Amino acid sequence: MPNCIAVLNARQILTLSGPPRPRIGLEMRELAIVEDGVMLIRAGRIESISRRSEIQIPSDADIIDAESRIVLPGFVDAHTHPVFAGTRADEYEQRTEGATYAQIAAAGGGIRSTVRRTRQSGEIDLLESASRYAEWFLRGGTTAIEAKSGYGLSLEAELKILRVIRDLAAQRRLRYVPTFLGAHEIPDEYRGRIDDYIALVIHEMLPRVVAEGLAEYCDVFCEPNVFPPDQARLVLQAARDLGLGLRLHADQFTPDAGAHLAAELGAATADHLEATTLDGLKALQAAHVQPVLLPASVYNLGSTHYPAARQMISLGLPVVLATDFNPGSSPTASMPMALSLACTHMKMTPAEAICAATINAAYSLRRGDRIGSLEPGKFADFVIHDCFDYRELPYFFGREPARAVYIGGVCVYPQ
Ligand code: NIG
Ligand code: FE
């Protein structure tokens, strides 16, 4: 019998235990907290969680002392773009001087400037930079991320990025869910020829990605001046026919077409939704599409147009929070930062934000049965945060509160 690990002296264990599905409405405020809790772990999985007074600690157990801090599931960051070369600190400076994200993109910068650099980069360099970012995710208490390609935009460069994601997963520092985002932007050599680029994505990229087993999901940046809904639909339908799940960058700047497309196709998620109206939200609700909200990109673009989280929760949508980590709109890997923005600017309660960043995010990635909550049988992916009450997580903002991060019962941070 493998050795038992006992996590002791947790002021609060936020178990998030509950029905085996994403949480909606008032359920999002129910964190199923065990005060003065003990968690027993065996063979990388949770065996039990109980109050200290109600349990006998096995005499051979290895002890992890939570020192009166809080313990919660590792954050599941359901929308990231972590494999890219270089930074866009130069464009960031230009934006401080008045240029907009859209102006920079129209002038050939933005996503396309990262694509040029990423194409020139070898797998080893990309693996090195993404491994560095993996440490940032861990420091924020994140244990699993959805990772998109999308800075290659040619067959070979997209495969290169997805192979890097596969190699990152093999390092076992973080859990990864790979997403193919070949339709992230129209690359320089296809400007004005969107249909030709769509054909490349559908007929060459998607079949190879699927044949090599490099992605679980397909995403498209759906926006009238990037991939309008009619073009986005073709890519997503082809992906669905090949067995991939669907996610969608929807309505970041322009209302509703993206939300309606996600609903029509029964996508797992519609992400961003800053511009979506009540009509689009109702379509998502009727089609059981999960909204993934990315407040750090709103913040970093200097906007105040945050998505309507309160309206979504009232409609019964199982909201997810993610960082959107990428070199342009959202260069942060910090889920605690996303939580702070969600509470301050979108008026989510701390409990709702934590639910959106853990169990709801796990369900959006078809992993709600394994991660996202601390329940017997699930992976022991948990974090001891330097807080004495869970509400301190978003309240003390601008710090990374994780003291120790465990994946499958193994300490991955600090190492
Ligand atoms: O989710 N909007 C499209 N994609 C990213 C931005 C990528 C970039 O600027 O490099 C996003 O915000
Ligand atoms: Fe994104």
Short mmCIF file of all heavy atoms in Angstrom, two decimals, residues 79 81 148 184 249 272 294 324 326, ligand 2:
data_model
loop_
_atom_site.label_atom_id
_atom_site.label_comp_id
_atom_site.label_asym_id
_atom_site.label_seq_id
_atom_site.Cartn_x
_atom_site.Cartn_y
_atom_site.Cartn_z
N HIS A 79 -7.98 29.20 -20.48
CA HIS A 79 -7.74 29.97 -21.73
C HIS A 79 -6.37 30.62 -21.64
O HIS A 79 -6.21 31.65 -20.97
CB HIS A 79 -8.84 31.02 -21.90
CG HIS A 79 -8.75 31.84 -23.16
ND1 HIS A 79 -9.85 32.11 -23.96
CD2 HIS A 79 -7.70 32.45 -23.77
CE1 HIS A 79 -9.48 32.86 -24.99
NE2 HIS A 79 -8.16 33.08 -24.90
N HIS A 81 -2.42 31.28 -23.97
CA HIS A 81 -1.62 31.18 -25.21
C HIS A 81 -0.14 31.21 -24.76
O HIS A 81 0.53 32.24 -24.89
CB HIS A 81 -1.85 32.38 -26.11
CG HIS A 81 -3.29 32.74 -26.43
ND1 HIS A 81 -3.79 32.66 -27.71
CD2 HIS A 81 -4.31 33.23 -25.67
CE1 HIS A 81 -5.07 33.09 -27.73
NE2 HIS A 81 -5.40 33.43 -26.50
N LYS A 148 -3.21 27.10 -26.06
CA LYS A 148 -3.55 27.21 -27.48
C LYS A 148 -2.29 27.38 -28.32
O LYS A 148 -1.34 28.02 -27.89
CB LYS A 148 -4.44 28.44 -27.70
CG LYS A 148 -5.71 28.42 -26.87
CD LYS A 148 -6.46 29.75 -27.03
CE LYS A 148 -7.55 29.93 -25.99
NZ LYS A 148 -8.64 28.97 -26.05
N HIS A 184 -6.20 32.04 -35.81
CA HIS A 184 -6.03 33.08 -34.80
C HIS A 184 -5.93 34.45 -35.49
O HIS A 184 -6.34 35.46 -34.95
CB HIS A 184 -4.75 32.79 -34.00
CG HIS A 184 -4.57 33.63 -32.76
ND1 HIS A 184 -3.36 33.74 -32.14
CD2 HIS A 184 -5.44 34.37 -32.04
CE1 HIS A 184 -3.49 34.52 -31.07
NE2 HIS A 184 -4.74 34.92 -30.99
N HIS A 249 -13.07 32.34 -29.53
CA HIS A 249 -12.87 33.74 -29.13
C HIS A 249 -14.06 34.51 -29.70
O HIS A 249 -14.13 34.73 -30.91
CB HIS A 249 -11.58 34.30 -29.72
CG HIS A 249 -10.34 33.92 -28.98
ND1 HIS A 249 -9.81 32.66 -29.00
CD2 HIS A 249 -9.50 34.67 -28.21
CE1 HIS A 249 -8.70 32.64 -28.27
NE2 HIS A 249 -8.49 33.85 -27.78
N HIS A 272 -14.22 35.46 -23.85
CA HIS A 272 -14.21 36.93 -23.93
C HIS A 272 -15.60 37.49 -23.62
O HIS A 272 -15.87 37.89 -22.51
CB HIS A 272 -13.71 37.48 -25.28
CG HIS A 272 -12.23 37.54 -25.40
ND1 HIS A 272 -11.46 38.47 -24.74
CD2 HIS A 272 -11.36 36.77 -26.09
CE1 HIS A 272 -10.18 38.28 -25.03
NE2 HIS A 272 -10.09 37.25 -25.84
N LEU A 294 -12.35 36.87 -19.29
CA LEU A 294 -10.92 37.15 -19.30
C LEU A 294 -10.66 38.59 -18.89
O LEU A 294 -10.20 39.42 -19.69
CB LEU A 294 -10.39 36.88 -20.73
CG LEU A 294 -10.79 35.51 -21.31
CD1 LEU A 294 -10.51 35.45 -22.81
CD2 LEU A 294 -10.06 34.38 -20.59
N ASP A 324 -6.18 34.33 -20.00
CA ASP A 324 -5.88 34.69 -21.40
C ASP A 324 -4.39 34.99 -21.56
O ASP A 324 -4.01 35.79 -22.43
CB ASP A 324 -6.72 35.89 -21.86
CG ASP A 324 -6.72 36.08 -23.37
OD1 ASP A 324 -6.28 35.16 -24.08
OD2 ASP A 324 -7.17 37.15 -23.83
N ASN A 326 -1.11 35.80 -22.78
CA ASN A 326 -0.58 35.93 -24.15
C ASN A 326 0.29 37.18 -24.20
O ASN A 326 0.23 38.01 -23.29
CB ASN A 326 -1.74 35.99 -25.17
CG ASN A 326 -2.47 37.32 -25.17
OD1 ASN A 326 -1.92 38.34 -25.58
ND2 ASN A 326 -3.72 37.34 -24.71
FE FE B 2 -7.20 34.48 -26.10
#
